[in-house]
Amino acid sequence: LWLGWEAGDETDLGRLAASLPRLVRFVGAFGAQSVPDSDDFVEPDRWPELDWAHLSEHHGLRRGLIERRAPSDQHDSVASWALATQRSQADLVRHYIETLRRLKYRPSGGFCVHCLVDAQPAISTSLVDHRRVPKLAYEALRNACRPVVVLTDPLPTSMPAGERLRLDVHVVSDLRHPIDEVEVTAHLAVGGTTETWRWVGSMPADAVERIGTIDHRLPVDGDDLELRVVLRTPDEVIERVDRSTLV
């Protein structure tokens, strides 16, 4: 599935799955290109006049698509542009995996990323570059694939002031045994205030549970959102932080 890369946005994946469940029974490939940290082949000193044709012909760059997610004219160096492409790729990878895990068995049975490691210098969908340097998407994949994770709906990037923000919260466990003590706390900071939600309970083995909903009316003067969610079990503490700016 190339939603979010060749067309549309990755946040549409849940709606697509609801409309055509068979598409997510097993996703054989997904991803987005990014510029690696090992970027000598890009010739950074030429920025912004890179040899775009050479990068496309010999290093896999699909400039029209990567510009849609990370426009190069908004950056003053290859390093800055590369970081933007890696952040964009990481966001897509995380959203795909979290959505598919939330749908596991109903109907999702798994996925493959495209691809793990480059065999040559490339601007590609790999998570690790040709010199075995991980991109940001590698860490995103590792965190999203933890045996136990807490997931929330994505924060919006546009929403009228005063509207109610509602985000479902799920816990997913791939463990083959139940967890007796699970605590989830969510802290939403916006407009200079922070609201907190807390849920406590047990988690069945190999299950997905919707544990609650974050429900908050957005203030008129608040546009920066930060959502910090902490999952505590007897064995570990997992924290995730999402940020968004309303436009």
Side-chain angles (χ1 to χ4, degrees):
L1 291 179
W2 298 109
L3 189 65
W5 173 241
E6 292 186 349
D9 189 272
E10 62 267 20
T11 58
D12 296 328
L13 180 60
R15 288 186 288 273
L16 177 65
S19 301
L20 296 168
R22 65 185 298 173
L23 290 181
V24 297
R25 287 177 182 169
F26 189 93
V27 179
F30 65 88
Q33 288 189 345
S34 67
V35 181
D37 292 337
S38 306
D39 61 3
D40 293 349
F41 68 94
V42 179
E43 299 181 274
D45 292 342
R46 296 183 55 167
W47 184 264
E49 303 299 329
L50 302 182
D51 190 341
W52 299 106
H54 177 81
L55 292 173
S56 297
E57 182 176 357
H58 296 283
H59 299 285
L61 171 66
R62 301 183 67 182
R63 189 181 180 189
L65 296 180
I66 204 169
E67 289 279 356
R68 187 171 68 88
R69 295 186 64 91
S72 59
D73 61 6
Q74 296 181 7
H75 301 275
D76 58 7
S77 67
V78 167
S80 175
W81 179 54
L83 180 60
T85 67
Q86 289 197 30
R87 285 174 172 167
S88 176
Q89 180 194 31
D91 288 344
L92 183 145
V93 166
R94 184 177 106 165
H95 186 79
Y96 260 82
I97 296 173
E98 291 185 346
T99 300
L100 295 174
R101 291 196 68 183
R102 192 160 52 233
L103 297 173
K104 80 168 184 172
Y105 306 148
R106 297 179 297 177
S108 178
F111 61 86
C112 293
V113 296
H114 182 280
C115 60
L116 183 60
V117 182
D118 279 326
Q120 64 181 34
I123 297 175
S124 75
T125 59
S126 74
L127 307 187
V128 180
D129 71 26
H130 63 288
R131 291 182 178 168
R132 303 307 185 259
V133 178
K135 299 179 180 178
L136 296 180
Y138 182 84
E139 185 69 13
L141 177 139
R142 186 169 69 171
N143 288 332
C145 288
R146 290 177 182 271
V148 182
V149 292
V150 58
L151 310 177
T152 68
D153 292 337
L155 290 174
T157 56
S158 62
M159 200 171 184
E163 287 289 309
R164 296 201 73 88
L165 174 68
R166 293 182 175 89
L167 306 173
D168 285 340
V169 182
H170 291 77
V171 173
V172 181
S173 174
D174 289 345
L175 299 177
R176 298 299 173 176
H177 58 79
I179 309 173
D180 293 331
E181 300 177 16
V182 179
E183 178 188 73
V184 175
T185 54
H187 311 274
L188 178 66
V190 57
T193 64
T194 300
E195 187 170 353
T196 299
W197 294 260
R198 180 174 178 267
W199 301 274
V200 178
S202 59
M203 186 67 191
D206 195 24
V208 180
E209 295 286 327
R210 187 178 75 84
I211 63 171
T213 301
I214 295 169
D215 190 340
H216 182 79
R217 186 175 298 279
L218 295 176
V220 175
D221 58 349
D223 56 2
D224 291 330
L225 305 176
E226 180 182 275
L227 177 61
R228 185 168 64 90
V229 183
V230 182
L231 169 71
R232 291 181 174 85
T233 73
D235 298 319
E236 61 182 344
V237 177
I238 298 171
E239 178 177 320
R240 57 175 286 154
V241 178
D242 292 301
R243 296 181 180 87
S244 178
T245 299
L246 298 179
V247 295

